[in-house]
């Protein structure tokens, strides 16, 4: 059955009771939903700007004085974020069905022209021309790299477009056809499971005769599981691959359950009276980006359902109680200086470097997208955190939330990134439009293939009584108390009042522009500025190494 997005006038739908896979939606008031609608409209404005300068959406736009300039590179994940953001914008009534179709068709045509290898897309392209990048803008040469996780996100977005747009299905299927994720798979060898663990490799370098990365994606609660889900659902990977990923660090006291012939060690990380299945870097997006598209909590209430809520709670407790930041929400983001870092928190990260800045201090950069990811699991806390950030720091503007703020110095990032804006828009669309993106991705093949795997397992992620046994995380040193130092204290962005649905003929970008909060001139985009570096990925194996796609 094909699904079509039913456009909803975003400001006229707020009185409706949401039908959500998560109970958290009911905790939002009409005022909260109006505020989310405001956030969605302004976030979509940023997505439009990021996608307006070339064949493909750029990685982001950066403020330079009164102008906003796009970066000169993009990636498969950035392209994916634009595709699902367009679906979300139509569903929320921010753009018309026709405009969404034109945007999607144009992007698919550009994707079909991109240089590929082994059926997969390279990690970096010029968004203006679509040419593969062989040299980093303003930097040195780039190795040709096929990223498993980035191709996973692109494949996921293509599957969503095919679901909601039957007229584009053939075009999506043609692009998806050569993307067989078995290419990245290292089959399980019971005689040598360390060398051949039955996991996906991090990627493949196409130069120098070609070579796979030495590391595998072996930590379950990280964003590369989207590629695992797709590979299993399409028959590229065996179903038992899901159970071969590690739940946490090895623990002889953890329960072991045999599921589909695989002995699964249900190890966890204990933190503040709970046991949580951690991620690699302790970031919010590793754990909670995938459930934007896969209703893991609903399909497996005894595993992911418990863990997602506990993970969000741990992030909140760390920011408010341990680090005493006054805010919470730490995830991979800009570092407020134009760079990019996999900011995380130590209690939730298996990586020995998780939650540690280069100078040895704990992280104090908070990113708004982390609050949006937590929205289904801690709705009241998420809304209050976003209000507090925008009331204290100049972090909100015509393009919605800026990417991050250093709550120690008060410095706000000058950029917005398509991936982080896409996660924000996806979260809001799910809350206000009945899990539209979960349905777009998970209805059909994904549900029939993945839901039984998730439902068969029970994580050991349950509350732990104080003083009980467990691998309790301990603060490495006395918590640092930060006092924010800011020069500007703007008011919380004023939400627009709920209005009646606009006539169908006016449900497009012009209608949204009429509702603008900002009366000044619209931001302008011109040429590119200094780009951010590629995000750090996690690995498992004999050592905990970091790598960059760009070398």
């Amino acid at each position: 059955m094909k699904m079509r997005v039913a456009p909803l006038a975003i400001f006229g739908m707020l009185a409706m009771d949401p039908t959500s896979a998560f109970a958290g939606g009911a905790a939002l008031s009409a005022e909260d939903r109006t505020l989310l609608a405001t956030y969605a409209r302004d976030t979509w404005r940023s997505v439009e700007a990021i996608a307006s300068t070339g064949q493909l959406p750029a990685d982001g736009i950066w403020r330079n004085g009164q102008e906003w300039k796009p970066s000169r590179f993009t990636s498969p994940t950035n392209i994916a974020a634009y595709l699902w953001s367009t679906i979300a914008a139509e569903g929320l009534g921010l753009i018309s069905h026709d405009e969404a179709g034109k945007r999607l068709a144009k992007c698919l045509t550009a994707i079909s022209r991109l240089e590929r290898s082994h059926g997969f897309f390279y990690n970096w392209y010029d968004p203006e021309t679509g040419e593969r990048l062989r040299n980093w803008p303003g930097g040195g040469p780039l190795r040709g790299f096929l990223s498993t996780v980035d191709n996973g996100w692109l494949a996921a977005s293509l599957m969503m477009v095919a679901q909601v747009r039957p007229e584009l299905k053939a075009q999506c299927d043609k692009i998806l056809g050569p993307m067989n994720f078995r290419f990245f798979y290292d089959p399980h060898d019971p005689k040598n499971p360390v060398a051949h663990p039955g996991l996906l490799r991090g990627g493949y370098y196409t130069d120098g005769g070609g070579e796979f990365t030495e590391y595998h994606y072996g930590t379950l609660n990280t964003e590369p599981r989207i590629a695992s889900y797709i590979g299993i659902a399409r028959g590229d990977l065996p179903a038992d691959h899901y159970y071969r990923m590690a739940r946490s660090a090895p623990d002889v006291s953890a329960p072991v359950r045999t599921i589909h012939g695989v002995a699964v060690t249900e190890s966890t990380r204990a933190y503040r009276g709970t046991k949580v299945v951690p991620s690699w870097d302790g970031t919010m997006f590793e754990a909670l980006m995938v459930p934007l598209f896969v209703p893991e909590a609903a399909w497996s209430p005894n595993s992911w359902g418990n863990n997602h809520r506990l993970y969000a709670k741990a992030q909140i407790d760390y920011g408010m109680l341990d680090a005493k930041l006054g805010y919470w929400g730490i995830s991979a983001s800009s570092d407020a200086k134009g760079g990019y870092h996999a900011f995380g928190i130590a209690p939730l990260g298996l990586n020995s470097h998780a939650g540690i800045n280069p100078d040895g201090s704990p992280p104090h950069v908070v990113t708004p997208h982390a609050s949006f990811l937590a929205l289904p699991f801690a709705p009241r806390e998420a809304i209050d955190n976003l209000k507090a950030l925008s009331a204290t720091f100049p972090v909100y503007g015509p393009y919605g939330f800026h990417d991050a703020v250093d709550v120690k110095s008060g410095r706000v990032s000058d950029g917005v990134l398509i991936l982080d804006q896409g996660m924000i828009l996806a979260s809001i669309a799910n809350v206000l439009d009945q899990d539209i993106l979960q349905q777009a991705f998970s209805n059909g093949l994904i549900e029939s293939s993945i839901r039984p795997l998730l439902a068969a397992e029970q994580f050991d992620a349950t509350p732990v009584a104080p003083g009980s046994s467990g691998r309790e995380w301990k603060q490495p040193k006395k918590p640092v108390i930060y006092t924010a130092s800011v020069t500007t204290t703007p008011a919380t962005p004023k939400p627009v009042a709920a209005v009646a649905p606009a006539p169908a003929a006016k449900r497009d970008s012009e209608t949204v522009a009429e509702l603008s909060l900002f009366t000044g001139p619209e931001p302008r985009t011109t040429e590119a500025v200094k780009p951010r570096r590629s995000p750090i990925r996690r690995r498992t194996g004999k050592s905990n190494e970091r790598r960059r796609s760009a070398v």
Side-chain angles (χ1 to χ4, degrees):
M1 179 181 295
K2 299 303 175 188
M3 169 188 169
R4 176 174 173 174
V5 173
L8 297 172
I10 188 168
F11 300 105
M13 63 183 283
L14 301 177
M16 299 172 59
D17 290 332
T19 301
S20 173
F22 308 109
L28 297 176
S29 67
E31 180 183 357
D32 295 331
R33 293 166 67 79
T34 301
L35 183 60
L36 288 175
T38 303
Y39 291 159
R41 184 203 54 214
D42 297 339
T43 301
W44 172 247
R45 184 185 292 122
S46 75
V47 173
E48 286 184 308
I50 291 170
S52 67
T53 58
Q55 297 187 25
L56 297 166
D59 182 76
I61 51 175
W62 297 84
R63 184 174 57 189
N64 185 8
Q66 296 300 311
E67 295 183 332
W68 289 78
K69 300 181 180 181
S71 27
R72 292 179 288 170
F73 60 98
T74 194
S75 71
T77 298
N78 292 334
I79 299 168
Y82 175 65
L83 291 174
W84 79 59
S85 293
T86 302
I87 296 171
E90 181 194 344
L92 292 170
L94 293 167
I95 58 176
S96 69
H97 182 73
D98 288 345
E99 180 180 346
K102 291 177 182 178
R103 286 178 175 273
L104 293 170
K106 177 183 176 182
C107 190
L108 292 177
T109 298
I111 294 171
S112 68
R113 295 171 177 165
L114 296 178
E115 182 180 349
R116 305 165 76 167
S117 179
H118 299 276
F120 291 97
F121 293 89
Y122 284 91
N123 223 36
W124 304 110
Y125 296 92
D126 184 322
E128 185 174 350
T129 66
E131 293 294 320
R132 170 190 157 199
L133 287 182
R134 289 173 167 79
N135 291 281
W136 195 255
L142 275 169
R143 296 188 68 183
F145 186 69
L146 312 176
S147 165
T148 304
V149 63
D150 290 279
N151 275 281
W153 284 117
L154 181 55
S157 70
L158 291 168
M159 293 169 69
M160 285 185 256
V161 175
Q163 278 265 51
V164 303
R165 287 281 180 166
E167 73 275 18
L168 298 177
K169 183 179 184 304
Q171 196 173 359
C172 292
D173 289 347
K174 186 176 181 180
I175 298 172
L176 279 165
M179 300 176 72
N180 188 324
F181 283 88
R182 179 169 288 276
F183 175 73
F184 297 112
Y185 180 62
D186 192 348
H188 181 257
D189 182 355
K191 296 181 179 179
N192 191 359
V194 174
H196 303 289
L199 300 172
L200 290 172
R201 300 178 178 93
Y204 181 80
Y205 293 100
T206 59
D207 53 3
E211 61 177 345
F212 288 103
T213 58
E214 294 181 357
Y215 61 92
H216 299 83
Y217 285 134
T219 304
L220 175 65
N221 195 17
T222 57
E223 82 282 5
R225 68 183 183 274
I226 194 69
S228 297
Y229 289 161
I230 293 170
I232 292 170
R234 298 178 68 201
D236 302 343
L237 309 175
D240 64 16
H241 159 65
Y242 174 77
Y243 301 113
R244 299 195 186 281
M245 289 181 277
R247 275 55 184 161
S248 186
D251 183 354
V252 295
S253 66
V256 178
R257 301 184 178 97
T258 300
I259 310 175
H260 291 272
V262 180
V264 181
T265 301
E266 301 290 359
S267 51
T268 56
R269 174 73 62 86
Y271 176 61
R272 284 192 165 270
T274 62
K275 293 191 294 184
V276 187
V277 173
S279 63
W280 180 248
D281 284 320
T283 70
M284 191 72 91
F285 95 109
E286 290 173 287
L288 299 186
M289 182 180 177
V290 171
L292 292 174
F293 310 100
V294 182
E296 294 170 316
W299 290 356
S300 53
N302 293 326
S303 52
W304 291 112
N306 288 336
N307 206 73
H308 289 332
R309 289 173 173 83
L310 293 169
Y311 197 98
K313 180 181 183 299
Q315 277 258 356
I316 295 168
D317 287 349
Y318 181 84
M320 303 301 289
L321 302 177
D322 282 340
K324 301 187 185 302
L325 299 176
Y327 312 88
W328 57 270
I330 296 176
S331 191
S333 68
S334 301
D335 62 8
K337 297 180 181 178
Y340 190 85
H341 189 72
F343 296 109
I345 66 173
L348 294 178
L350 293 177
N351 183 353
S352 61
H353 299 285
I356 303 175
N357 287 333
D359 62 3
S361 67
H364 39 82
V365 173
V366 172
T367 178
H369 83 252
S371 293
F372 286 96
L373 292 178
L375 193 59
F377 313 107
R380 182 74 269 139
E381 293 87 344
I383 292 291
D384 290 347
N385 195 50
L386 291 166
K387 286 182 176 180
L389 286 170
S390 57
T392 309
F393 306 100
V395 72
Y396 197 90
Y399 286 143
F401 282 98
H402 288 225
D403 196 56
V405 54
D406 184 328
V407 299
K408 179 181 178 181
S409 67
R411 183 169 181 174
V412 174
S413 168
D414 284 327
V416 293
L417 306 180
I418 183 69
L419 173 57
D420 297 353
Q421 299 300 86
M423 287 189 282
I424 290 173
L425 201 56
S427 178
I428 298 174
N430 281 336
V431 170
L432 297 185
D433 196 11
Q434 304 180 17
D435 299 322
I436 180 176
L437 292 180
Q438 285 188 349
Q439 294 183 54
F441 179 68
S442 296
N443 283 0
L445 180 64
I446 294 293
E447 180 171 11
S448 63
S449 303
I450 303 304
R451 185 171 187 168
L453 298 178
L454 274 55
E457 185 176 13
Q458 180 175 342
F459 290 166
D460 198 34
T462 54
V464 182
S468 62
S469 61
R471 290 176 173 264
E472 182 76 26
W473 178 84
K474 297 184 183 298
Q475 185 80 11
K477 55 185 178 181
K478 184 178 179 180
V480 179
I481 301 177
Y482 297 115
T483 302
S485 173
V486 295
T487 56
T488 306
T489 307
T492 303
K494 181 180 178 181
V496 297
V499 297
K506 293 193 69 178
R507 286 182 191 166
D508 54 19
S509 58
E510 293 180 0
T511 300
V512 175
E514 291 172 3
L515 297 170
S516 174
L517 288 175
F518 302 93
T519 58
E522 287 296 307
R524 292 176 292 169
T525 57
T526 53
E527 297 180 353
V529 294
K530 179 181 178 181
R532 68 180 173 94
R533 299 293 289 176
S534 64
I536 299 169
R537 301 293 184 192
R538 77 277 322 128
R539 60 161 287 171
T540 60
K542 297 180 180 179
S543 61
N544 296 330
E545 298 178 3
R546 296 180 173 189
R547 62 92 172 163
R548 291 185 184 272
S549 299
V551 293

